[in-house]
Amino acid sequence: MQKITAAITAVGGYVPEYRLTNAILETMIDTNDEWIKTRTGVEERRILKDEGLATSDMCVPAVLELCKKRGILPEEIDCMIVATVTADMAFPATANIVCDKIGAANAWGFDLSAACSGFLFALTTGSSLIESGRYKKVVIVGADKMSAIVDYTDRTTCILFGDGAGAVLLEPSADDNGVKDSLLKSDGSGRKYLYQKAGGSLKPASIETVKAKEHFIFQDGQPVFKAAVKGMADAAYDLLQRNNLTGDDIAWLVPHQANKRIIDATANRMGLSLDKVMLNIQRYGNTTAATIPLCLWDFENKLKKGDSIVLAAFGGGYTWGATLVKWAYDTDSANTPA
Ligand code: UT7
């Protein structure tokens, strides 16, 4: 039997309108534009400000855009995986809420928690569903409303994060293009450096946890930085090696947007010049699971059918990895239904 490959056949995205600039942050905490830009590369982030809106409300426009581009109805979606650490609520899954909101009545869905590597983990999981031959249309969403868990008095974290959602459609490939290989890793011993202390079963919410600000992100930046530089660069390099590729064979690196310095180190290790690196950290900051699909969304018209691209991420958990994709369509055909 011929092996089925999962191809990305459409991309959608959404970022909220409100821009939290470095200049605004300068009025809120002891920081400055120069420090933020030099240390991280971030200039502004988008924030979902409106009362009563959640992560699912950013997933909805992203998935609907993807359906429109591909010319399919939400009812045609077989499965929806939402990678997020800021689910609308502890349960049910945000994926179920998104399916309900868009009318994806024939889909089953679930959330996947792998922090900044969530999109890569979900892409690999979704590809396996396509490769099994059982499913024809699987939607992978990376979405986070980081502003819901950011302490805007903590200058070491609030400068980093933003809100957004990106989505891709996976379908059986019509040719050799698609998701070719994935090298994914996790190491739970890194959990003490980047996590949310309370709100789970270990430390349920209480007046004390709220007073101690334990429902916000805690990050010890330097160990995470060191592990991220090594983890993301090693995974991307090892992925190239085991596929007998060099940087010259790669059209684009699509890196998780946590810190421009981590991205530069990864490109350098792969032997890639920076003009082959998708970068939008300056506009959105770190949107956790959404960074990679939002890069694909922003740079879609630069991608050509047959391009080899490497997606790479590192995040809380620790989780990290790299995925090799051969791009399956030219942009001018992006809006053309199959
Ligand atoms: O996506 C999930 C994975 N996360 C990451 O990959 C993030 C990894 N970590 C990082 O990107 C970096 O560690 C940060 C950007 C978070 C911090 O950069 P850094 O170069 O590691 O700075 P640092 O923590 O060593 O702090 C250097 C100095 C400190 O002052 P002193 O002790 O040298 O006087 C900080 O207090 O910078 C100070 N500082 C700030 N100054 C102005 C920390 N935050 C700020 C700030 N504005 N916002």
Side-chain angles (χ1 to χ4, degrees), residues 31 35 39 116 155 219 221-222 224 256 258-259 261-262 286:
T31 192
W35 191 97
R39 299 283 178 132
C116 301
R155 69 174 183 168
Q219 176 171 254
Q222 288 212 350
V224 179
H256 170 52
N259 188 314
R261 290 182 287 151
I262 300 172
N286 182 351

Side-chain angles (χ1 to χ4, degrees), residues 25-60:
L25 282 172
E26 283 177 357
T27 69
M28 296 162 59
I29 44 164
D30 178 16
T31 192
N32 60 79
D33 177 50
E34 185 56 27
W35 191 97
I36 301 174
K37 277 203 296 221
T38 317
R39 299 283 178 132
T40 71
V42 186
E43 293 172 21
E44 61 182 37
R45 323 100 193 104
R46 302 300 186 93
I47 304 294
L48 189 65
K49 278 227 154 201
D50 316 61
E51 270 301 295
L53 292 187
T55 295
S56 68
D57 296 298
M58 299 189 290
C59 300
V60 165

Side-chain angles (χ1 to χ4, degrees), residues 172-253:
S173 181
D175 45 37
D176 186 39
N177 295 321
V179 179
K180 306 300 285 184
D181 193 13
S182 250
L183 197 164
L184 304 177
K185 305 254 189 182
S186 44
D187 174 5
S189 69
R191 67 189 181 278
K192 56 183 172 290
Y193 300 116
L194 177 52
Y195 68 120
Q196 199 176 336
K197 293 182 177 176
S201 59
L202 179 65
K203 214 176 200 195
S206 66
I207 290 168
E208 285 71 33
T209 62
V210 172
K211 278 188 184 155
K213 298 185 165 190
E214 290 180 338
H215 296 272
F216 293 125
I217 298 167
F218 167 85
Q219 176 171 254
D220 187 352
Q222 288 212 350
V224 179
F225 183 87
K226 280 187 198 142
V229 167
K230 181 163 170 26
M232 216 161 106
D234 281 357
Y237 180 79
D238 292 348
L239 183 77
L240 289 187
Q241 292 273 301
R242 80 177 187 191
N243 285 279
N244 299 314
L245 299 170
T246 69
D248 292 341
D249 301 306
I250 302 304
W252 290 97
L253 168 65

